[in-house]
Amino acid sequence: MQLRSCRLVACPVGPSPPFRPCPRCSAMLLAQLSDPHVDRTRPHKAAALRRAVAFVATLPQPPDAVLITGDCTDHGHPDEYDEFEAALEPLPMPVFVVPGNHDDRAELLSRRPPPGEACESFMQYVVENFPLRLIGLDTQWPGHGGGELCAQRLAWLDEVLSQAPARPTLLFMHHPPVQTGLQVLDDIGLRGHAEFCAVVAHHPQVVRVVAGHVHLPLTASFAHTTVMTCPGTDATFQPAWAQPDKLVIQYQPPLALLHRWTAEGGLTSFTAVPEAAPWVTLHDGQRWAD
Ligand SMILES: [Fe+2]
C-alpha cells in the first residue's frame, strides 16, 4: 500500500496535566460515550447525555479521561454545540472528542482543539500523557453518512504509531472499520477500512479500536486486535437480524463502555448502563452479604 506523506502539526494548547494513577490499584480508567446527537428540537437527546455525564462524574473511581466517539450534535449547529458543551461541564477530567458524520468539523475543532500532535486539516490527534497512548481518528467524509480514512490520514497514523512502537495504544474513531451485517448501516460504513487494517497490522502495540456510529454494542476481530462500538447515550439499537436489508430495531437502554488499563493485565472493557443506581456492597472483602 502506498501512503502519501503527511505533515504533523504541533499541539496548539500545550500539555495536559500528568497522569495520576488510582492509588489503590494503579489502573487507568477511560469512560466512552458516543453519539449523543444533541438536537435543540429533541431535548431528550441532551437530557440523555446529561444523565450519562452524571453517571461518569459520580463513578467511585473517577475515569482519568472520557472519550466521545462522534455525532456530538445532530445538525452541527453552533447552538447544538453550546448545549453539548454545557452538558459536559460536570466532568472534571479531560474529554477527548472525534467528529462523526453529523458533526461540523470546524465548529467542533474551534471548541475542542487537539490536545496533542495532530494531523493537518483533520481532527485527528495523539494524547500522550497516559500509560495507554490514545489516538483519535477523524473518519468524517463531508457530505456522506459513511466515513473514510484517506491516504493522508492513514499516513499520519502510520507515522505516529511508528514513533512509539513500545507504547500500548488505543485508537478511537466514529465509523467502525467492520461490517454489521445490516445493509443500511453497512452502506454508511468506513471507506478505506482494508487500508486501515493494513496499517494497524503493522503496529502490534494497538490493543483496541473503539468506535460509535452504529448505535450497537458490537465486538469484532480486526487485524491482531479487537474493535468495539459504544451505542448512543440515549438508546441502544437491538436489530431484527431476520431483516438484514432493512433497519428494524428495538430501542433498549443506553450503554457506555469503561476501559480499564493496567500494565500487568492490559486492557479490559466493561459495558455499563449509564443511569443512576444505588451502590450495594455484595462482598465486604471478608464475606458475601446475606
Ligand atoms: Fe454516525
Side-chain angles (χ1 to χ4, degrees), residues 167-243:
R167 291 203 57 202
T169 301
L170 177 142
L171 308 181
F172 63 105
M173 58 204 289
H174 182 63
H175 296 81
V178 293
Q179 299 219 314
T180 63
L182 299 161
Q183 192 62 48
V184 174
L185 293 180
D186 291 340
D187 284 348
I188 53 169
L190 181 69
R191 193 165 77 151
H193 60 87
E195 293 83 355
F196 175 50
C197 186
V199 170
V200 172
H202 278 109
H203 299 282
Q205 77 269 30
V206 176
V207 296
R208 186 84 86 248
V209 179
V210 300
H213 184 51
V214 292
H215 296 245
L216 304 168
L218 174 158
T219 305
S221 300
F222 185 72
H224 58 272
T225 185
T226 305
V227 172
M228 299 182 73
T229 59
C230 182
T233 49
D234 73 324
T236 297
F237 292 175
Q238 170 56 44
W241 295 102
Q243 301 178 77

Side-chain angles (χ1 to χ4, degrees), residues 5 22 197:
S5 67
C22 171
C197 186

Side-chain angles (χ1 to χ4, degrees), residues 33-39 45-46 49 68 70-74 84 232-234:
L33 305 175
S34 201
D35 293 77
H37 288 264
V38 170
D39 178 347
K45 299 279 186 182
L49 175 60
I68 300 184
D71 284 355
C72 305
T73 67
D74 207 47
F84 171 72
T233 49
D234 73 324

Side-chain angles (χ1 to χ4, degrees), residues 237-262:
F237 292 175
Q238 170 56 44
W241 295 102
Q243 301 178 77
D245 54 329
K246 301 177 182 176
L247 188 59
V248 178
I249 63 153
Q250 285 180 333
Y251 284 109
Q252 296 192 339
L255 297 175
L257 297 181
L258 299 173
H259 306 288
R260 184 175 183 271
W261 165 263
T262 63

Side-chain angles (χ1 to χ4, degrees), residues 81 85 104-114 123:
Y81 286 105
E85 292 292 339
D104 181 308
R105 179 189 287 137
E107 187 68 36
L108 194 52
L109 267 172
S110 73
R111 293 155 189 269
R112 300 237 155 223
M123 194 172 180

